[in-house]
Amino acid sequence: MVDIERVSARPVSMTRMFVVHAVITLIPVLIVGLVLAEGYRSEARQRGLSEGRSEAVLVARTAIEPILDAKPLRAALPPGQLADLNRVVTHAITERDVLRLRVRNLSGRVLFSDDGSGFNEVPEDEALDAARGQIVERLTHLNSDSNDEGSAGPESVEVYLPLVVSDQQVGVLEVYLPYAPIQADVTAGLHMLYWSTILGLAALYIALFAISLSVSKGLRRQVKENRFLAEHDALTGLANRALFHTRGVDALRSQAATEGRTVIALLDLDRFKEVNDTLGHHSGDELLGIVATRLTEVVGSDASVARLGGDEFGVILAGAADPEPVLNRIRRALAQEATVSGLPISVDSSIGYVVAPEDGTEMVDLLQRADVAMYLAKFDHAGLCRYDPARDHYDAAKLHLVSQLRHAIDAGQLVLHYQPKATVADGSPRAVEALLRWQHPELGLLYPDAFVPLAEQTDLIDKLTAWVMTRALGEIADMGDAVGDLAVAVNISARNLIRPDFAVQVIGILTASGMPAERLIVEITETALLVDPARAATVLGELAAAGVTVSIDDFGIGQTSLSYLATLPVGELKIDKSFVMDMLANPTHAAIVASVVDLGHNLNLRVVAEGVEDAAVLDRLRATGCDLAQGYHIARPMPGRALGEWLRPKALPSAH
């Protein structure tokens, strides 16, 4: 059998992935670097101008303005001011702090120039702007050999700014500062800033890649684990039902190509429930693990083993000429004693199998037929049974009936009859049980036994139950005062109980009907409780919390553990009619009825006796203290329109 977990592709080298991703990742880093470089040049220019302005202001405030008077400059500066300016400016130029310096009046005319130039020049716009209080700066080249500006001289920052003495603007300073020292300082700072940014981005990308590798590795591991869990049983590690179906399809396809035979077997453990109930679910889980190991050891690597749910397992044998020796070895292996919770335990198994292509070629059909064979093996106490179409009750006629039932729900062919439950003490009605009938257009009136078991094999039972509950609550609500606060009981199946949203659906139907939850009783058989006790407890707990009464139907003929009655939110027990109907002639059954009544009352449960057919049985029930009675002696099931008439005040008939 090919294991779908195997992967043929070579794993990609993590180192290669890192290199490729790093190269791809650095491309945006380089692009960002180019963008930053262009911004760097623009930023450097702006910062250089800003630094130049700051230095020009410093020159004006510390060297020039202290020499001047607090009044606007006139046509010529006093000799003392000129001498002071020459001294200060000569020192600044000698120290290379300043390249050129001029002082202008508020009309823009030059009054002082370190090189004696510019006195006859027309005032520049920048000088006039500075005379109006602005500071103007720009980068330029100052010719070192003449007074003319040009590209040959050193690059400088040319600044025009107001000269202010005692808060009074007195003139304009024109100063040229060497740009090279400013540029060096600015460039060093920006160089470090931008390279740090680029390296930081690169480090960030690499760190993000490393994180993505770690996350990706974790995700791949999680995906692998999820895929395994989706296809395998968490308890035993065997394939689950979905994977078993896939492997079966693959085996059938291979068998068709080689004209071989494929055996599909289903098995479950006899009395497995006793292990769970006696030793606890942890012991049951331990036993299932032992069964899984033994199954795998017996069939070997050429077969596929799966746990399909509960204590049911499946086996696929490809190419087996005679499967019964292998299947019998399985039964013998499982029957050997195993130590569970310190106790020696042995379990028998029932196995049903089919052989393809003789018994079918489609996996769905083969599984259904193997299931039929398994139940026949259990019913016959044979242990091993091959599918026999002559004993398959899932015949075409019944399947056609299911198809018709789907149509009947929407076509209005279903009707409800109601059978009252009355108090044994005084005969007052307390509830009615809604009983489904199918007015078949060809077969006449069909009772539930004819079609409900078939519906329970499909999802149709969900729709059917919803219809019954909706109709019953609606009809009782419509009767209004005629029925008082009479409760209505609706039967639900095991399949309904395993639906996680069943309680929500019931509460929704109650809300839509306007009926209080206290007037709804859900009746469920003991057998249905045992299908999935944990799920049943959850769903019934939700219903009871909403106010719905839970009733155990046909009590006494199933295998309900007394612990269930103590833990489940049960409010009512209905004694199976097989004990009630002959309790007068059968002392054992009479004792059972009396015991169930006592048990129910000790657990604070209401007890209902079904099958009350005559007054003598009713009197005996009254003597036992039974709470309610239901049966033909009380009333036969009747349509809703007749119920109101029957409900007129009455007392139950008595034998005396």
Side-chain angles (χ1 to χ4, degrees), residues 236 285-295 334 337-340:
T236 63
D285 291 346
E286 184 180 352
L287 178 59
L288 292 174
I290 295 172
V291 169
T293 300
R294 291 183 179 180
L295 273 174
L334 299 185
E337 281 191 353
T339 302
V340 176

Side-chain angles (χ1 to χ4, degrees), residues 111-132:
L111 302 181
F112 171 83
S113 176
D114 67 274
D115 59 359
S117 64
F119 290 99
N120 297 320
E121 292 178 358
V122 176
E124 299 175 348
D125 292 339
E126 291 82 353
L128 297 176
D129 289 339
R132 290 190 289 269

Side-chain angles (χ1 to χ4, degrees), residues 35-50 139 179 186 190 194:
V35 174
L36 289 177
E38 180 62 30
Y40 165 81
R41 287 190 288 270
S42 176
E43 179 72 9
R45 179 183 178 88
Q46 293 301 321
R47 287 200 179 190
L49 290 172
S50 178
L139 287 177
Y179 182 61
V186 171
L190 290 176
Y194 285 107

Side-chain angles (χ1 to χ4, degrees), residues 40 72 88 128 186 250 259 328 344 450 463 476 485-486 510 532 558 578 625 635 641:
Y40 165 81
V88 171
L128 297 176
V186 171
D250 291 342
E259 297 183 356
N328 279 318
K463 187 175 182 180
I476 296 299
D485 60 354
L486 205 66
L510 271 168
D532 190 342
S578 62
R641 60 180 179 275

Side-chain angles (χ1 to χ4, degrees), residues 16-160:
R16 186 192 306 171
M17 284 181 61
F18 180 83
V19 171
V20 172
H21 189 85
V23 171
I24 295 174
T25 300
L26 286 176
I27 291 176
V29 175
L30 292 174
I31 294 174
V32 170
L34 292 174
V35 174
L36 289 177
E38 180 62 30
Y40 165 81
R41 287 190 288 270
S42 176
E43 179 72 9
R45 179 183 178 88
Q46 293 301 321
R47 287 200 179 190
L49 290 172
S50 178
E51 289 290 333
R53 173 196 289 209
S54 298
E55 291 191 19
V57 171
L58 183 62
V59 169
R61 303 294 181 262
T62 61
I64 306 301
E65 291 175 352
I67 298 173
L68 304 177
D69 297 326
K71 55 185 178 180
L73 300 177
R74 301 188 182 278
L77 295 174
Q81 291 182 354
L82 287 174
D84 290 340
L85 286 173
N86 274 317
R87 176 175 51 78
V88 171
V89 173
T90 299
H91 177 75
I93 291 176
T94 300
E95 295 295 327
R96 302 296 296 174
D97 293 332
V98 173
L99 297 177
R100 172 184 290 173
L101 187 146
R102 292 173 177 171
V103 176
R104 298 173 181 263
N105 62 18
L106 294 176
S107 299
R109 295 291 181 178
V110 176
L111 302 181
F112 171 83
S113 176
D114 67 274
D115 59 359
S117 64
F119 290 99
N120 297 320
E121 292 178 358
V122 176
E124 299 175 348
D125 292 339
E126 291 82 353
L128 297 176
D129 289 339
R132 290 190 289 269
Q134 300 181 26
I135 298 178
V136 182
E137 68 276 346
R138 65 181 179 180
L139 287 177
T140 185
H141 287 271
L142 185 64
N143 193 304
S144 60
D145 298 327
S146 68
N147 295 331
D148 298 330
E149 298 174 11
S151 60
E155 192 171 17
S156 64
V157 180
E158 178 185 4
V159 182
Y160 294 84

Side-chain angles (χ1 to χ4, degrees), residues 3 24-25 46 93 99 113 130 287 367 370 392 498 524 536 581 597 607:
D3 191 342
I24 295 174
T25 300
Q46 293 301 321
I93 291 176
L99 297 177
S113 176
L287 178 59
L367 283 174
D392 187 354
I498 64 175
I524 184 165
M581 293 178 70
V597 172
V607 182

